[in-house]
Amino acid sequence: MIEVEGLTVSYGAGRRTVLALAGVSLSVAEGELVAVVGPSGCGKSTLLFTLDGLIPPTQGVVRIGGQMVQGVRRDVALILQDAGLLPWKTVLANAELGLRIQGRRGDVREVLEELGLAGFERRYPGELSEGMRRRVGIARALALNPKVFLMDEPMANLDSITRQRIQDLILKLWQGFHFTGVLVTHDIEEAVFLGQRIFVFSPRPGRLVEVVENPEVGTSKYRDSAQFLARVRHLRQVLVESGT
Ligand SMILES: Nc1ncnc2c1ncn2[C@@H]1O[C@H](COP(=O)(O)OP(=O)(O)OP(=O)(O)O)[C@@H](O)[C@H]1O
Ligand SMILES: [Mg+2]
């Protein structure tokens, strides 16, 4: 579904060039949910931006569904690192924004209900908790009924209970909607809970240093299993050994 070959991305020009990603190759199968971990500034958001067509590769190619990514696609949705809500628009208008930008119509109320936001349609982001704002960001992306769902730290800076709730929600949505998902996270437990494979990146310029297989994702009570703890320990060790 997603194929990345020799992806290099640099920002700026001349002496001020910053190399963000260096020669990254990876692929994600249709319907697979993967996690991307790596230190701050290693190019995780940059990877998602190129997958979403917002930033062109400096070198290399990115293909989705066999087609080169050139600009934003209707079947790919991105949740931005800070949810990216417009404070002057209501919950409903924010959730509809993605559809509107694409010139599409659709009913987001069902999605809002699914995410526990029914009754808050007319509220503004400033009137919501941080966890609710994140869910509005998820609703906006989900309303597009995307084939590919790119998530940039959708749970960062949330308390651990809310974080777990949203993790459970993402798992449930993935099991229900069968999208192909790429989740960027700083959190090791979260990567193990949601990533069938976990891509580990080096410090900037980001290179793919290791892929941890984690096929138990989505199995019953995985978070409470001994297998889960063992995988968390393994991933932590990989991160230490790779100097990240
Ligand atoms: N618009 C930009 N102009 C110049 N440099 C940039 C720009 N955006 C990002 N960078 C540089 O590219 C590198 C990768 O940035 P990116 O945001 O992809 O990292 P990240 O892994 O998402 O970090 P974090 O975990 O903190 O979100 C950073 O080191 C940053 O210095
Ligand atoms: Mg980032």
Side-chain angles (χ1 to χ4, degrees):
M1 185 70 190
I2 301 176
E3 297 160 283
V4 175
E5 281 170 23
L7 176 65
T8 293
V9 178
S10 52
Y11 291 102
R15 284 176 51 208
R16 296 185 55 182
T17 300
V18 176
L19 188 58
L21 290 171
V24 172
S25 297
L26 55 85
S27 61
V28 183
E30 185 158 358
E32 194 182 11
L33 182 58
V34 301
V36 175
V37 297
S40 183
C42 75
K44 303 180 297 297
S45 295
T46 302
L47 175 69
L48 293 193
F49 292 158
T50 48
L51 293 178
D52 197 41
L54 293 168
I55 295 182
T58 307
Q59 275 174 50
V61 278
V62 176
R63 278 189 292 268
I64 291 185
Q67 292 170 325
M68 281 244 283
V69 173
Q70 288 166 321
V72 178
R73 296 168 51 117
R74 293 167 75 100
D75 52 357
V76 178
L78 170 68
I79 303 183
L80 295 170
Q81 201 155 357
D82 59 359
L85 302 186
L86 302 179
W88 60 89
K89 285 190 183 280
T90 63
V91 164
L92 186 65
N94 267 291
E96 283 175 342
L97 197 65
L99 285 170
R100 278 176 193 271
I101 287 171
Q102 294 190 1
R104 289 160 63 181
R105 286 167 168 276
D107 195 1
V108 299
R109 286 173 196 272
E110 204 176 309
V111 175
L112 286 173
E113 195 171 327
E114 178 89 15
L115 298 181
L117 291 163
F120 290 90
E121 293 86 350
R122 291 168 188 280
R123 301 297 182 101
Y124 290 85
E127 301 175 276
L128 306 179
S129 72
E130 187 60 36
M132 291 167 86
R133 282 195 284 270
R134 298 303 171 88
R135 280 182 277 146
V136 177
I138 294 171
R140 176 160 74 200
L142 211 57
L144 301 171
N145 193 16
K147 288 203 182 80
V148 176
F149 207 177
L150 309 170
M151 296 166 271
D152 199 354
E153 306 244 18
M155 277 114 2
N157 307 319
L158 295 178
D159 67 86
S160 61
I161 306 268
T162 310
R163 175 180 271 268
Q164 256 194 35
R165 280 209 191 109
I166 297 189
Q167 289 168 356
D168 290 337
L169 178 71
I170 288 176
L171 185 67
K172 193 177 122 202
L173 294 171
W174 172 66
Q175 289 170 329
F177 289 83
H178 308 293
F179 51 75
T180 305
V182 181
L183 170 79
V184 164
T185 179
H186 272 117
D187 187 288
I188 294 175
E189 275 87 4
E190 186 167 296
V192 173
F193 184 63
L194 289 171
Q196 292 180 302
R197 286 187 298 145
I198 302 157
F199 297 123
V200 179
F201 278 66
S202 70
R204 189 180 72 79
R207 298 172 204 275
L208 180 60
V209 287
E210 180 118 14
V211 181
V212 174
E213 302 281 336
N214 184 38
E216 295 86 352
V217 164
T219 56
S220 163
K221 302 215 166 75
Y222 184 39
R223 202 191 260 120
D224 302 319
S225 69
Q227 186 63 258
F228 180 84
L229 282 181
R231 198 58 49 68
V232 166
R233 218 173 292 135
H234 174 62
L235 179 58
R236 196 171 286 136
Q237 198 175 344
V238 166
L239 285 163
V240 169
E241 281 167 6
S242 62
T244 62

